[in-house]
Every structure is written in structure tokens, then in C-alpha cells.
Amino acid sequence: TQRPGACNGGEFGYAGAYPSEYLKLTAHYMNSPILVTGASQRVGLALAIKLAQAGHTVVSASRSKIPPAHPNIIPFQADLCSERDREALIEYLRTRYDGLRAIVHNASLWLDDDLDNLNTMFKLHVEAPYHLNLALGEQLLKLDKSDIIHICDETSSRGSKSHIGYAATKAALQNMVLSFAETFNNIAILASVPLAVRLLELKGPPATLWVLGIGLGIGAWFTVLDWFASRRSDEALPLRD
């Protein structure tokens, strides 16, 4: 049963998307859709439309109930923070289709730091992809070629002082990509950092490496500054007998 979800907050969009040309369409995949989560707006919606225009059947999973933006898009209303809603989505895909061409984990929340929001973001960024990947792995393995794409964030490698929980849960997602790559040997497991992907598509490898290098350099610089600050703080502490 499809029903409205109850995740706190709203979806967070990114400036960039994974190139739809990567997901090639053949007759063998006609009854094996692509699942895109968080596809009611922004990048998720744009990606779903792009894939649908390429001829794919796209199951668009999101909390919001919206009309399909393309004849090839099938909306499924689900709150991915809810295990019951995820089970309903899994059952729908297993019973309606022969297999699954790909999963694109795009659903995301950008919430302020507190324990309730951390729990919500963990459910959406970590628990939901973990659950869907394990439950739908058999559907993916029915095809000769299938993919799982995780939309990550550059804060996962450098952290964020203003959104600690968001960066931490995105870092957990990025780490989980490595584990699933070891688990599903016959499935392409990918992590996409949208800005880098967009630059790769438009400007080629040199521009992408340049941006990634700057990001790593900034992260290293802040790490050094933090180390010096913590060292001075330790030196300033009074000694106790």
C-alpha cells in the first residue's frame, strides 16, 4: 500500500547529476526499471526525467505525491525513513518487475544538528540505502549488468562545523559504498559527488581533479589548524596534582 511519509524536513538538492548515458537501454532491460529515490524535485526529478527520456522505466520513490513528469515515470509514494514504507516499495518492485536495472540513492535531508534530526538523517542516508540494497540485490543480479549509485557529498571527507550530523551520515553512506562493492561483485557500486561528476561531464578529467584537489587541500588545511588549536588548548590547561 502506498501512503504518505512522515520524514521531518525536506529534500536537499544538488547541483549536478550522474550522466544518464551510463545506463544503457536494451530490450533485455525493458521490464527492469531504475529506482530513483527522492525524485519529486530538483536533481532527483531531473535525473528521473532524463532517464525516462532515454527510454528507461523509472520508479520514482518520494514522500511527496506528484503526477508523473513523463509517461515512463511511475511514482511511488513512500517515506524512506519508515521501514514499513520501504518494505512496501520492495514488495512492489519484486512483484511487478522481472528485475531491476539500477538503484539511484538520491533522497537526502539537510537538517540542523540535534539528536532527533541526526536519527532522521541516519535513517534516510544510511539505513534506507542499506535496507534497499540488501533486499533488492537479488532483483539487480537477475540482469547481466546492473548498478547501484549513491549520491554522496563532498562534506563526507572534510566534515562540516555547521551540519555535523549531515556530514557524518553522508560519510557513513560513502563508507558503505566500499562495503557493498565487496558484497556485490557482479553489480557496479558507485559513489557520485555531484559537482565532480558535472565537471567531468562538461570539462573533462583535468577540471575534475583540480576541484577535488582543492577540496582535499582545504580539508587538510583545516585539519592542521584544528590540530594546532587543540595542542595550544592542551598546553593552556592548568596542571593538577
Side-chain angles (χ1 to χ4, degrees), residues 95-107:
T95 56
R96 296 291 184 92
Y97 300 102
D98 296 334
L100 195 59
R101 174 62 182 84
I103 303 174
V104 181
H105 294 293
N106 173 71

Side-chain angles (χ1 to χ4, degrees), residues 7 45 139 197:
C7 251
L45 177 59
Q139 290 293 101
V197 170

Side-chain angles (χ1 to χ4, degrees), residues 37 45 57 101 131 136 140 156 159 187 205:
T37 68
L45 177 59
T57 298
R101 174 62 182 84
H131 186 187
L136 295 171
L140 291 159
S156 62
I187 301 174

Side-chain angles (χ1 to χ4, degrees), residues 61-75:
S62 62
R63 293 179 297 113
S64 304
K65 186 176 182 180
I66 59 171
H70 189 279
N72 287 352
I73 296 178
I74 301 170

Side-chain angles (χ1 to χ4, degrees), residues 36 39 43-53 56 58 60 70 73:
V36 181
V43 166
L45 177 59
L47 180 56
I49 292 173
K50 184 74 172 178
L51 291 168
Q53 290 173 342
H56 294 278
V58 178
S60 166
H70 189 279
I73 296 178

Side-chain angles (χ1 to χ4, degrees), residues 1-2 19 26 30 45 65 77 83 153 188 210 240-241:
T1 302
Q2 300 178 33
T26 68
M30 291 302 288
L45 177 59
K65 186 176 182 180
Q77 192 174 5
E83 182 179 353
D153 192 279
W210 184 75
R240 295 182 180 180
D241 294 334

Side-chain angles (χ1 to χ4, degrees), residues 124-139:
L124 188 61
H125 299 164
V126 182
E127 184 180 306
Y130 175 85
H131 186 187
L132 294 175
N133 286 354
L134 288 179
L136 295 171
E138 184 178 341
Q139 290 293 101

